[in-house]
Amino acid sequence: MDDQIKIKFENIKSENKFLLETYFKGFEQFERRDWDKALKHIVKSMENDHVVTNGYYEIDSKTDKITVKSKDRGISFGISANTDKTSSTKFQLANPFGKGGLIGCEVNVGFYNNVNGSLSYSDRFGYSLSLSKSSQEPIIKERNFHIDETTFSYSFQRNSNGFSVFTGNSSVSVLKMNKNKEHLANTGSSFKTGITHIYTNNSKIKSINRFFKIQNELALPILSSCSFFKSNVTFSLDFPLYKELKFKTNFSTGGIFNFSKNSMIPLSDRFFNGRNYNFEGFVDSSLTEKEKTPYLGGSFFFLFRTALLHKVKENANVMVYHSIGNTILPLGETTLKSNASKLFSPRSLRSSIGLGICVEMGTADIECSIVKPISFNPRDEINSFAFGINLKI
């Protein structure tokens, strides 16, 4: 660094040597007229690396001395709502070791006595270590499961792609009052080690909003009590029809392909309504294959929802919607053709219609509606009120 360029750092928990070598290497090559442009880029990079929080710079007009400051100390605390109907309390500490990065602690508490906690560390390159634990109490005491899960993962992000390597275990039990044989047959402990990949794409072309997400998980043989490949796809689209009238559609589907002939998919890895997809008109977590006991989940599902929304206030809409979908839980050896035939069979499809309001709250939409199930199976548990939180696209 040229001795004629003086740089000072304030309220930044890093050594000057690290900051100069990492962010100001070659800065002396810039002409004085280009300093502002270069400093804006440098401060932005420092913010992205969590070295500074709300950073800014000053240049002394008389001495050309540069001062880079962080407005905040990098400590944040917040409460938010999630799409799985949990409230999240999050604490974050930026630049904990003077090299950038972030330490985070998060606790999620749900409507159904489910508690999720996690502790994580991310470095300035985007690599992250995380330890999480979750516990879910029975929604309906005599009919649902107690699920405990612990997971340790190493992950990183590349543009729109997220990758992680994980290992963990889970246990499923029921209360003594639950004597249901199908429920008892799905209890026990399991373990798995594998890899996950998540790709997201959020785009807007003129007045059309599109969102696409695919999440894949592979539980590795030998290292998992049940080896499988799991994939979940979500697609959303909305666009204006006329003045304050808007059309919105959502499609989601998922499948779990079991590689272990002698093991069934652990209950904690299956798809559940209210957790993996929202199907209004049916009690959360209750949907499973026709003729099976509720609350067993599914290994294949699809849901197609269309809605019309009319804006009545700045952030409020009246909405009417129709949903159609299904889920199945095949056991034993099956083929993709037989599973697809079951999943889309007109005799087992579920559907519902609803009328309600949608309130825009920052990055999410809060929906409350009166719902009427139209098609359902005899053992389905239905309701007439729906509440949901959906991320905006």
Side-chain angles (χ1 to χ4, degrees):
M1 181 67 63
D2 194 320
D3 291 337
Q4 294 181 350
I5 301 178
K6 296 182 179 180
I7 302 176
K8 181 182 178 182
F9 303 101
E10 292 184 3
N11 202 31
I12 301 176
K13 299 175 292 184
S14 299
E15 294 182 359
N16 288 0
K17 182 180 179 182
F18 165 77
L19 297 173
L20 293 172
E21 292 180 352
T22 304
Y23 300 102
F24 287 87
K25 188 175 182 180
F27 185 81
E28 67 277 1
Q29 298 175 9
F30 288 101
E31 298 290 338
R32 175 62 180 82
R33 63 176 180 270
D34 297 325
W35 280 14
D36 275 303
K37 183 178 179 180
L39 286 169
K40 287 179 182 179
H41 176 75
I42 290 171
V43 171
K44 185 65 176 177
S45 296
M46 295 172 75
E47 288 180 334
N48 292 337
D49 293 347
H50 301 291
V51 171
V52 300
T53 305
N54 293 327
Y56 68 104
Y57 66 90
E58 297 174 346
I59 303 175
D60 190 300
S61 58
K62 295 181 180 180
T63 63
D64 282 344
K65 182 179 179 180
I66 299 170
T67 303
V68 180
K69 302 179 181 181
S70 179
K71 291 183 180 179
D72 302 318
R73 294 294 292 176
I75 300 174
S76 63
F77 178 84
I79 299 175
S80 61
N82 303 317
T83 57
D84 60 356
K85 300 176 184 176
T86 61
S87 63
S88 176
T89 302
K90 185 182 294 186
F91 170 82
Q92 290 183 327
L93 175 64
N95 198 21
F97 308 116
K99 303 290 185 181
L102 197 68
I103 284 180
C105 179
E106 184 173 356
V107 177
N108 300 330
V109 180
F111 290 168
Y112 304 114
N113 296 323
N114 51 316
V115 179
N116 308 321
S118 66
L119 180 65
S120 62
Y121 169 71
S122 302
D123 66 16
R124 62 190 179 91
F125 302 106
Y127 296 95
S128 177
L129 289 173
S130 176
L131 176 65
S132 62
K133 185 174 179 59
S134 65
S135 179
Q136 178 177 302
E137 295 292 336
I139 295 176
I140 299 176
K141 293 297 184 181
E142 71 277 12
R143 303 181 198 171
N144 205 6
F145 299 89
H146 179 94
I147 303 173
D148 285 318
E149 295 181 87
T150 302
T151 304
F152 180 74
S153 63
Y154 170 76
S155 58
F156 61 94
Q157 189 79 23
R158 289 293 179 270
N159 298 320
S160 298
N161 295 278
F163 302 88
S164 66
V165 179
F166 67 88
T167 184
N169 61 74
S170 66
S171 65
V172 178
S173 61
V174 295
L175 300 180
K176 291 182 179 180
M177 65 180 70
N178 190 339
K179 305 298 182 182
N180 186 287
K181 292 183 179 180
E182 282 190 283
H183 284 186
L184 293 173
N186 284 268
T187 59
S189 300
S190 63
F191 63 91
K192 64 176 179 177
T193 298
I195 55 177
T196 61
H197 166 252
I198 301 175
Y199 170 80
T200 56
N201 181 271
N202 197 342
S203 61
K204 183 174 183 177
I205 301 176
K206 294 183 178 179
S207 57
I208 300 176
N209 297 303
R210 296 184 300 179
F211 174 79
F212 176 80
K213 177 181 178 180
I214 181 169
Q215 181 170 342
N216 300 312
E217 177 183 327
L218 176 64
L220 300 171
I222 303 175
L223 299 177
S224 305
S225 53
C226 178
S227 175
F228 60 82
F229 174 73
K230 179 179 180 180
S231 185
N232 188 6
V233 177
T234 301
F235 176 75
S236 300
L237 178 75
D238 75 53
F239 53 86
L241 288 177
Y242 178 74
K243 292 185 177 179
E244 303 297 333
L245 187 64
K246 181 171 68 173
F247 175 80
K248 186 174 182 178
T249 183
N250 307 85
F251 176 77
S252 58
T253 185
I256 308 175
F257 302 89
N258 191 351
F259 302 142
S260 304
K261 294 182 179 180
N262 299 322
S263 301
M264 63 179 175
I265 303 297
L267 186 133
S268 56
D269 290 306
R270 298 173 192 169
F271 297 112
F272 287 90
N273 64 304
R275 187 193 307 175
N276 305 106
Y277 61 100
N278 290 322
F279 202 154
E280 295 89 348
F282 300 91
V283 175
D284 283 353
S285 298
S286 66
L287 290 182
T288 190
E289 187 173 328
K290 182 181 180 181
E291 305 302 333
K292 285 186 169 62
T293 302
Y295 300 101
L296 293 177
S299 50
F300 293 89
F301 84 93
F302 87 92
L303 179 68
F304 180 63
R305 184 182 192 258
T306 56
L308 289 174
L309 295 92
H310 186 271
K311 181 175 287 188
V312 292
K313 286 189 176 181
E314 184 63 27
N315 297 319
N317 300 271
V318 173
M319 66 174 182
V320 59
Y321 61 84
H322 174 260
S323 299
I324 184 170
N326 198 18
T327 185
I328 60 172
L329 182 63
L331 301 176
E333 292 190 40
T334 60
T335 64
L336 185 59
K337 183 178 180 180
S338 65
N339 289 334
S341 177
K342 260 188 180 183
L343 185 63
F344 296 101
S345 171
R347 292 179 296 178
S348 60
L349 289 179
R350 285 105 163 176
S351 65
S352 63
I353 56 173
L355 174 67
I357 60 172
C358 174
V359 180
E360 300 176 4
M361 302 285 288
T363 59
D365 292 336
I366 308 271
E367 295 183 356
C368 297
S369 62
I370 302 298
V371 59
K372 172 67 175 176
I374 302 173
S375 302
F376 52 91
N377 295 320
R379 303 184 73 176
D380 286 346
E381 299 196 1
I382 61 177
N383 59 24
S384 57
F385 177 78
F387 172 80
I389 302 173
N390 301 307
L391 292 178
K392 285 185 181 179
I393 61 174

Short mmCIF file of all heavy atoms in Angstrom, two decimals, residues 288-341:
data_model
loop_
_atom_site.label_atom_id
_atom_site.label_comp_id
_atom_site.label_asym_id
_atom_site.label_seq_id
_atom_site.Cartn_x
_atom_site.Cartn_y
_atom_site.Cartn_z
N THR A 288 -52.88 -38.95 3.77
CA THR A 288 -52.10 -40.10 3.37
C THR A 288 -52.87 -40.81 2.26
O THR A 288 -53.86 -40.28 1.74
CB THR A 288 -51.82 -41.04 4.56
OG1 THR A 288 -50.85 -42.01 4.17
CG2 THR A 288 -53.08 -41.72 5.04
N GLU A 289 -52.44 -41.99 1.90
CA GLU A 289 -53.11 -42.70 0.81
C GLU A 289 -54.52 -43.15 1.20
O GLU A 289 -54.80 -43.44 2.37
CB GLU A 289 -52.27 -43.92 0.40
CG GLU A 289 -52.80 -44.64 -0.84
CD GLU A 289 -51.85 -45.73 -1.30
OE1 GLU A 289 -50.62 -45.57 -1.12
OE2 GLU A 289 -52.34 -46.74 -1.82
N LYS A 290 -55.40 -43.18 0.21
CA LYS A 290 -56.77 -43.63 0.44
C LYS A 290 -56.79 -45.00 1.11
O LYS A 290 -55.99 -45.87 0.78
CB LYS A 290 -57.49 -43.70 -0.91
CG LYS A 290 -58.96 -44.10 -0.83
CD LYS A 290 -59.56 -44.16 -2.22
CE LYS A 290 -61.03 -44.56 -2.15
NZ LYS A 290 -61.65 -44.64 -3.49
N GLU A 291 -57.70 -45.15 2.08
CA GLU A 291 -57.90 -46.38 2.85
C GLU A 291 -56.86 -46.60 3.94
O GLU A 291 -56.98 -47.53 4.73
CB GLU A 291 -57.94 -47.63 1.93
CG GLU A 291 -58.95 -47.57 0.81
CD GLU A 291 -60.36 -47.36 1.31
OE1 GLU A 291 -60.66 -47.75 2.45
OE2 GLU A 291 -61.18 -46.79 0.56
N LYS A 292 -55.84 -45.77 4.01
CA LYS A 292 -54.85 -45.88 5.09
C LYS A 292 -55.22 -44.93 6.23
O LYS A 292 -55.94 -43.95 6.05
CB LYS A 292 -53.44 -45.59 4.59
CG LYS A 292 -52.83 -46.71 3.75
CD LYS A 292 -51.38 -46.41 3.42
CE LYS A 292 -50.66 -47.62 2.84
NZ LYS A 292 -51.23 -48.07 1.57
N THR A 293 -54.69 -45.25 7.42
CA THR A 293 -54.96 -44.40 8.58
C THR A 293 -54.33 -43.02 8.40
O THR A 293 -53.19 -42.92 7.95
CB THR A 293 -54.37 -45.06 9.85
OG1 THR A 293 -54.95 -46.36 10.00
CG2 THR A 293 -54.70 -44.24 11.09
N PRO A 294 -55.05 -41.94 8.73
CA PRO A 294 -54.48 -40.59 8.60
C PRO A 294 -53.19 -40.41 9.42
O PRO A 294 -52.90 -41.18 10.33
CB PRO A 294 -55.60 -39.69 9.15
CG PRO A 294 -56.85 -40.46 8.92
CD PRO A 294 -56.46 -41.90 9.13
N TYR A 295 -52.42 -39.39 9.03
CA TYR A 295 -51.17 -38.96 9.69
C TYR A 295 -49.96 -39.83 9.36
O TYR A 295 -48.94 -39.74 10.02
CB TYR A 295 -51.35 -38.87 11.22
CG TYR A 295 -52.40 -37.89 11.62
CD1 TYR A 295 -53.67 -38.32 11.98
CD2 TYR A 295 -52.14 -36.52 11.61
CE1 TYR A 295 -54.66 -37.41 12.32
CE2 TYR A 295 -53.13 -35.61 11.95
CZ TYR A 295 -54.38 -36.07 12.31
OH TYR A 295 -55.36 -35.15 12.64
N LEU A 296 -50.06 -40.66 8.30
CA LEU A 296 -48.91 -41.47 7.89
C LEU A 296 -48.08 -40.77 6.82
O LEU A 296 -47.00 -41.25 6.47
CB LEU A 296 -49.37 -42.84 7.37
CG LEU A 296 -49.99 -43.79 8.41
CD1 LEU A 296 -50.47 -45.06 7.73
CD2 LEU A 296 -48.99 -44.11 9.51
N GLY A 297 -48.58 -39.66 6.28
CA GLY A 297 -47.83 -38.95 5.25
C GLY A 297 -47.86 -39.67 3.92
O GLY A 297 -48.63 -40.62 3.71
N GLY A 298 -47.01 -39.24 3.00
CA GLY A 298 -46.96 -39.85 1.68
C GLY A 298 -45.56 -39.83 1.11
O GLY A 298 -44.71 -39.03 1.52
N SER A 299 -45.30 -40.72 0.17
CA SER A 299 -44.02 -40.71 -0.52
C SER A 299 -44.13 -40.10 -1.92
O SER A 299 -43.11 -39.88 -2.57
CB SER A 299 -43.44 -42.13 -0.60
OG SER A 299 -44.39 -43.04 -1.09
N PHE A 300 -45.37 -39.85 -2.36
CA PHE A 300 -45.61 -39.12 -3.61
C PHE A 300 -46.80 -38.19 -3.38
O PHE A 300 -47.77 -38.55 -2.70
CB PHE A 300 -45.93 -40.06 -4.78
CG PHE A 300 -44.78 -40.93 -5.19
CD1 PHE A 300 -44.60 -42.17 -4.60
CD2 PHE A 300 -43.88 -40.52 -6.16
CE1 PHE A 300 -43.55 -43.00 -4.97
CE2 PHE A 300 -42.82 -41.32 -6.53
CZ PHE A 300 -42.64 -42.57 -5.93
N PHE A 301 -46.74 -36.99 -3.95
CA PHE A 301 -47.87 -36.07 -3.83
C PHE A 301 -47.85 -35.09 -5.00
O PHE A 301 -46.84 -34.90 -5.68
CB PHE A 301 -47.80 -35.28 -2.51
CG PHE A 301 -46.90 -34.06 -2.57
CD1 PHE A 301 -47.40 -32.81 -2.88
CD2 PHE A 301 -45.53 -34.18 -2.33
CE1 PHE A 301 -46.59 -31.69 -2.95
CE2 PHE A 301 -44.70 -33.07 -2.39
CZ PHE A 301 -45.24 -31.82 -2.70
N PHE A 302 -49.00 -34.47 -5.23
CA PHE A 302 -49.05 -33.31 -6.13
C PHE A 302 -50.18 -32.41 -5.67
O PHE A 302 -51.15 -32.84 -5.03
CB PHE A 302 -49.26 -33.74 -7.59
CG PHE A 302 -50.70 -33.91 -7.99
CD1 PHE A 302 -51.42 -32.87 -8.54
CD2 PHE A 302 -51.35 -35.13 -7.79
CE1 PHE A 302 -52.75 -33.03 -8.91
CE2 PHE A 302 -52.67 -35.30 -8.15
CZ PHE A 302 -53.39 -34.24 -8.71
N LEU A 303 -50.05 -31.13 -5.96
CA LEU A 303 -51.07 -30.15 -5.62
C LEU A 303 -51.08 -29.06 -6.68
O LEU A 303 -50.03 -28.50 -7.01
CB LEU A 303 -50.80 -29.53 -4.25
CG LEU A 303 -51.82 -28.47 -3.79
CD1 LEU A 303 -53.17 -29.11 -3.52
CD2 LEU A 303 -51.33 -27.74 -2.55
N PHE A 304 -52.27 -28.77 -7.21
CA PHE A 304 -52.43 -27.72 -8.21
C PHE A 304 -53.49 -26.75 -7.69
O PHE A 304 -54.61 -27.14 -7.39
CB PHE A 304 -52.86 -28.32 -9.55
CG PHE A 304 -53.04 -27.30 -10.63
CD1 PHE A 304 -51.97 -26.52 -11.06
CD2 PHE A 304 -54.28 -27.10 -11.23
CE1 PHE A 304 -52.13 -25.58 -12.07
CE2 PHE A 304 -54.45 -26.16 -12.23
CZ PHE A 304 -53.38 -25.40 -12.65
N ARG A 305 -53.12 -25.48 -7.58
CA ARG A 305 -54.01 -24.46 -7.01
C ARG A 305 -54.12 -23.27 -7.94
O ARG A 305 -53.10 -22.76 -8.44
CB ARG A 305 -53.47 -24.01 -5.65
CG ARG A 305 -54.33 -23.01 -4.87
CD ARG A 305 -53.60 -22.66 -3.59
NE ARG A 305 -54.41 -21.94 -2.62
CZ ARG A 305 -54.34 -20.64 -2.41
NH1 ARG A 305 -53.50 -19.90 -3.13
NH2 ARG A 305 -55.08 -20.07 -1.48
N THR A 306 -55.33 -22.82 -8.19
CA THR A 306 -55.55 -21.60 -8.96
C THR A 306 -56.35 -20.63 -8.11
O THR A 306 -57.21 -21.04 -7.31
CB THR A 306 -56.32 -21.89 -10.27
OG1 THR A 306 -57.55 -22.55 -9.95
CG2 THR A 306 -55.49 -22.75 -11.20
N ALA A 307 -56.07 -19.34 -8.26
CA ALA A 307 -56.74 -18.34 -7.43
C ALA A 307 -56.93 -17.04 -8.20
O ALA A 307 -56.14 -16.69 -9.08
CB ALA A 307 -55.92 -18.07 -6.17
N LEU A 308 -58.02 -16.35 -7.89
CA LEU A 308 -58.27 -15.00 -8.36
C LEU A 308 -58.22 -14.07 -7.16
O LEU A 308 -58.85 -14.33 -6.13
CB LEU A 308 -59.63 -14.90 -9.04
CG LEU A 308 -59.78 -15.59 -10.40
CD1 LEU A 308 -61.23 -15.52 -10.86
CD2 LEU A 308 -58.86 -14.97 -11.44
N LEU A 309 -57.47 -12.97 -7.28
CA LEU A 309 -57.32 -12.01 -6.19
C LEU A 309 -57.73 -10.62 -6.66
O LEU A 309 -57.32 -10.19 -7.76
CB LEU A 309 -55.88 -11.98 -5.68
CG LEU A 309 -55.34 -13.25 -5.02
CD1 LEU A 309 -54.64 -14.12 -6.06
CD2 LEU A 309 -54.35 -12.92 -3.91
N HIS A 310 -58.53 -9.95 -5.85
CA HIS A 310 -58.96 -8.59 -6.17
C HIS A 310 -58.52 -7.66 -5.04
O HIS A 310 -58.90 -7.84 -3.89
CB HIS A 310 -60.48 -8.53 -6.34
CG HIS A 310 -60.96 -7.19 -6.81
ND1 HIS A 310 -61.29 -6.16 -5.95
CD2 HIS A 310 -61.15 -6.70 -8.07
CE1 HIS A 310 -61.67 -5.11 -6.65
NE2 HIS A 310 -61.60 -5.41 -7.94
N LYS A 311 -57.72 -6.66 -5.40
CA LYS A 311 -57.20 -5.74 -4.39
C LYS A 311 -58.31 -4.82 -3.90
O LYS A 311 -59.00 -4.16 -4.68
CB LYS A 311 -56.05 -4.92 -4.98
CG LYS A 311 -55.42 -3.96 -3.98
CD LYS A 311 -54.21 -3.26 -4.57
CE LYS A 311 -53.02 -4.19 -4.68
NZ LYS A 311 -51.79 -3.46 -5.06
N VAL A 312 -58.47 -4.77 -2.58
CA VAL A 312 -59.47 -3.89 -1.97
C VAL A 312 -58.81 -2.76 -1.19
O VAL A 312 -59.42 -1.71 -0.98
CB VAL A 312 -60.41 -4.70 -1.04
CG1 VAL A 312 -61.28 -5.63 -1.85
CG2 VAL A 312 -59.63 -5.47 0.01
N LYS A 313 -57.57 -2.98 -0.75
CA LYS A 313 -56.77 -1.96 -0.11
C LYS A 313 -55.33 -2.12 -0.56
O LYS A 313 -55.01 -3.07 -1.28
CB LYS A 313 -56.89 -2.04 1.42
CG LYS A 313 -58.22 -1.55 1.97
CD LYS A 313 -58.19 -1.44 3.49
CE LYS A 313 -59.50 -0.85 4.00
NZ LYS A 313 -59.49 -0.72 5.48
N GLU A 314 -54.46 -1.24 -0.10
CA GLU A 314 -53.07 -1.24 -0.57
C GLU A 314 -52.41 -2.61 -0.41
O GLU A 314 -51.75 -3.09 -1.31
CB GLU A 314 -52.27 -0.19 0.19
CG GLU A 314 -50.83 -0.06 -0.29
CD GLU A 314 -50.72 0.39 -1.74
OE1 GLU A 314 -51.63 1.07 -2.23
OE2 GLU A 314 -49.72 0.03 -2.37
N ASN A 315 -52.59 -3.24 0.75
CA ASN A 315 -51.93 -4.52 1.00
C ASN A 315 -52.91 -5.67 1.22
O ASN A 315 -52.52 -6.73 1.72
CB ASN A 315 -51.02 -4.41 2.23
CG ASN A 315 -49.89 -3.42 2.02
OD1 ASN A 315 -49.30 -3.36 0.96
ND2 ASN A 315 -49.62 -2.62 3.03
N ALA A 316 -54.18 -5.48 0.87
CA ALA A 316 -55.18 -6.51 1.15
C ALA A 316 -55.93 -6.89 -0.13
O ALA A 316 -56.26 -6.04 -0.96
CB ALA A 316 -56.16 -6.02 2.20
N ASN A 317 -56.19 -8.20 -0.27
CA ASN A 317 -56.91 -8.72 -1.41
C ASN A 317 -58.01 -9.68 -0.95
O ASN A 317 -57.83 -10.43 0.01
CB ASN A 317 -55.97 -9.50 -2.34
CG ASN A 317 -54.83 -8.66 -2.87
OD1 ASN A 317 -54.95 -8.02 -3.91
ND2 ASN A 317 -53.71 -8.65 -2.15
N VAL A 318 -59.12 -9.65 -1.65
CA VAL A 318 -60.13 -10.70 -1.51
C VAL A 318 -59.77 -11.79 -2.51
O VAL A 318 -59.41 -11.49 -3.66
CB VAL A 318 -61.55 -10.16 -1.78
CG1 VAL A 318 -62.56 -11.30 -1.78
CG2 VAL A 318 -61.92 -9.13 -0.75
N MET A 319 -59.86 -13.04 -2.11
CA MET A 319 -59.44 -14.12 -3.01
C MET A 319 -60.46 -15.25 -3.02
O MET A 319 -61.18 -15.49 -2.05
CB MET A 319 -58.07 -14.67 -2.60
CG MET A 319 -58.06 -15.37 -1.27
SD MET A 319 -56.47 -16.15 -0.91
CE MET A 319 -56.84 -16.91 0.69
N VAL A 320 -60.53 -15.92 -4.16
CA VAL A 320 -61.29 -17.15 -4.31
C VAL A 320 -60.36 -18.15 -4.99
O VAL A 320 -59.61 -17.78 -5.89
CB VAL A 320 -62.58 -16.92 -5.12
CG1 VAL A 320 -62.27 -16.38 -6.50
CG2 VAL A 320 -63.38 -18.22 -5.22
N TYR A 321 -60.36 -19.39 -4.53
CA TYR A 321 -59.40 -20.36 -5.07
C TYR A 321 -60.00 -21.76 -5.18
O TYR A 321 -61.02 -22.08 -4.56
CB TYR A 321 -58.14 -20.40 -4.21
CG TYR A 321 -58.37 -20.82 -2.77
CD1 TYR A 321 -58.44 -22.17 -2.41
CD2 TYR A 321 -58.51 -19.87 -1.76
CE1 TYR A 321 -58.66 -22.55 -1.10
CE2 TYR A 321 -58.72 -20.23 -0.45
CZ TYR A 321 -58.80 -21.57 -0.12
OH TYR A 321 -59.01 -21.95 1.18
N HIS A 322 -59.31 -22.57 -5.95
CA HIS A 322 -59.66 -23.99 -6.10
C HIS A 322 -58.36 -24.79 -6.05
O HIS A 322 -57.37 -24.44 -6.70
CB HIS A 322 -60.37 -24.26 -7.42
CG HIS A 322 -60.61 -25.71 -7.69
ND1 HIS A 322 -59.81 -26.46 -8.53
CD2 HIS A 322 -61.56 -26.56 -7.20
CE1 HIS A 322 -60.26 -27.71 -8.57
NE2 HIS A 322 -61.32 -27.80 -7.77
N SER A 323 -58.35 -25.86 -5.25
CA SER A 323 -57.17 -26.72 -5.12
C SER A 323 -57.54 -28.16 -5.44
O SER A 323 -58.63 -28.62 -5.06
CB SER A 323 -56.60 -26.65 -3.69
OG SER A 323 -56.19 -25.33 -3.36
N ILE A 324 -56.65 -28.85 -6.12
CA ILE A 324 -56.84 -30.26 -6.40
C ILE A 324 -55.50 -30.97 -6.23
O ILE A 324 -54.45 -30.43 -6.61
CB ILE A 324 -57.41 -30.49 -7.82
CG1 ILE A 324 -57.70 -31.98 -8.04
CG2 ILE A 324 -56.49 -29.93 -8.89
CD1 ILE A 324 -58.49 -32.25 -9.31
N GLY A 325 -55.51 -32.14 -5.62
CA GLY A 325 -54.26 -32.84 -5.38
C GLY A 325 -54.48 -34.22 -4.82
O GLY A 325 -55.62 -34.69 -4.67
N ASN A 326 -53.38 -34.86 -4.45
CA ASN A 326 -53.46 -36.21 -3.89
C ASN A 326 -52.11 -36.58 -3.32
O ASN A 326 -51.08 -35.95 -3.62
CB ASN A 326 -53.87 -37.21 -4.96
CG ASN A 326 -54.39 -38.51 -4.37
OD1 ASN A 326 -54.75 -38.57 -3.20
ND2 ASN A 326 -54.42 -39.57 -5.17
N THR A 327 -52.10 -37.62 -2.51
CA THR A 327 -50.86 -38.19 -1.99
C THR A 327 -51.03 -39.68 -1.82
O THR A 327 -52.15 -40.16 -1.57
CB THR A 327 -50.47 -37.54 -0.63
OG1 THR A 327 -49.20 -38.04 -0.22
CG2 THR A 327 -51.50 -37.86 0.44
N ILE A 328 -49.97 -40.43 -2.02
CA ILE A 328 -50.02 -41.88 -1.87
C ILE A 328 -48.81 -42.36 -1.07
O ILE A 328 -47.79 -41.67 -0.99
CB ILE A 328 -50.05 -42.61 -3.23
CG1 ILE A 328 -48.79 -42.29 -4.06
CG2 ILE A 328 -51.31 -42.27 -4.00
CD1 ILE A 328 -48.67 -43.13 -5.33
N LEU A 329 -48.95 -43.54 -0.50
CA LEU A 329 -47.88 -44.14 0.30
C LEU A 329 -47.75 -45.61 -0.08
O LEU A 329 -48.18 -46.50 0.65
CB LEU A 329 -48.19 -43.99 1.80
CG LEU A 329 -47.15 -44.52 2.78
CD1 LEU A 329 -45.83 -43.77 2.64
CD2 LEU A 329 -47.67 -44.41 4.22
N PRO A 330 -47.17 -45.88 -1.26
CA PRO A 330 -47.03 -47.27 -1.68
C PRO A 330 -46.00 -48.02 -0.84
O PRO A 330 -44.95 -47.48 -0.50
CB PRO A 330 -46.57 -47.16 -3.14
CG PRO A 330 -45.90 -45.83 -3.22
CD PRO A 330 -46.63 -44.95 -2.25
N LEU A 331 -46.30 -49.25 -0.49
CA LEU A 331 -45.39 -50.09 0.27
C LEU A 331 -44.98 -51.29 -0.58
O LEU A 331 -45.73 -51.75 -1.43
CB LEU A 331 -46.07 -50.58 1.56
CG LEU A 331 -46.55 -49.47 2.52
CD1 LEU A 331 -47.28 -50.08 3.71
CD2 LEU A 331 -45.37 -48.64 3.00
N GLY A 332 -43.79 -51.78 -0.36
CA GLY A 332 -43.29 -52.90 -1.16
C GLY A 332 -42.78 -52.42 -2.50
O GLY A 332 -42.61 -51.22 -2.75
N GLU A 333 -42.52 -53.34 -3.41
CA GLU A 333 -41.98 -53.02 -4.72
C GLU A 333 -43.08 -52.47 -5.61
O GLU A 333 -44.14 -53.08 -5.77
CB GLU A 333 -41.33 -54.25 -5.35
CG GLU A 333 -40.06 -54.71 -4.64
CD GLU A 333 -39.32 -55.78 -5.42
OE1 GLU A 333 -39.26 -55.65 -6.65
OE2 GLU A 333 -38.83 -56.72 -4.80
N THR A 334 -42.84 -51.32 -6.20
CA THR A 334 -43.80 -50.69 -7.11
C THR A 334 -43.05 -50.15 -8.32
O THR A 334 -41.82 -50.10 -8.34
CB THR A 334 -44.54 -49.53 -6.42
OG1 THR A 334 -43.58 -48.55 -6.00
CG2 THR A 334 -45.33 -50.02 -5.22
N THR A 335 -43.80 -49.75 -9.33
CA THR A 335 -43.21 -49.14 -10.52
C THR A 335 -43.66 -47.69 -10.61
O THR A 335 -44.67 -47.30 -10.00
CB THR A 335 -43.63 -49.89 -11.79
OG1 THR A 335 -45.05 -49.76 -11.96
CG2 THR A 335 -43.25 -51.37 -11.70
N LEU A 336 -42.92 -46.91 -11.37
CA LEU A 336 -43.27 -45.50 -11.54
C LEU A 336 -44.65 -45.38 -12.20
O LEU A 336 -45.45 -44.51 -11.84
CB LEU A 336 -42.21 -44.81 -12.39
CG LEU A 336 -42.36 -43.29 -12.58
CD1 LEU A 336 -42.35 -42.58 -11.25
CD2 LEU A 336 -41.27 -42.76 -13.50
N LYS A 337 -44.94 -46.29 -13.12
CA LYS A 337 -46.22 -46.25 -13.82
C LYS A 337 -47.38 -46.53 -12.86
O LYS A 337 -48.40 -45.82 -12.88
CB LYS A 337 -46.23 -47.28 -14.95
CG LYS A 337 -47.51 -47.27 -15.77
CD LYS A 337 -47.43 -48.27 -16.91
CE LYS A 337 -48.73 -48.25 -17.72
NZ LYS A 337 -48.68 -49.24 -18.84
N SER A 338 -47.22 -47.53 -12.00
CA SER A 338 -48.29 -47.86 -11.06
C SER A 338 -48.48 -46.74 -10.02
O SER A 338 -49.61 -46.44 -9.63
CB SER A 338 -47.99 -49.19 -10.36
OG SER A 338 -46.83 -49.08 -9.53
N ASN A 339 -47.39 -46.10 -9.59
CA ASN A 339 -47.49 -45.00 -8.64
C ASN A 339 -48.20 -43.79 -9.27
O ASN A 339 -49.04 -43.15 -8.63
CB ASN A 339 -46.11 -44.59 -8.15
CG ASN A 339 -45.49 -45.62 -7.23
OD1 ASN A 339 -46.20 -46.39 -6.58
ND2 ASN A 339 -44.17 -45.66 -7.18
N ALA A 340 -47.86 -43.49 -10.53
CA ALA A 340 -48.49 -42.37 -11.23
C ALA A 340 -49.98 -42.64 -11.43
O ALA A 340 -50.83 -41.75 -11.29
CB ALA A 340 -47.81 -42.11 -12.56
N SER A 341 -50.32 -43.90 -11.75
CA SER A 341 -51.72 -44.27 -11.94
C SER A 341 -52.52 -44.08 -10.65
O SER A 341 -53.66 -43.59 -10.68
CB SER A 341 -51.81 -45.72 -12.41
OG SER A 341 -53.14 -46.13 -12.56
#
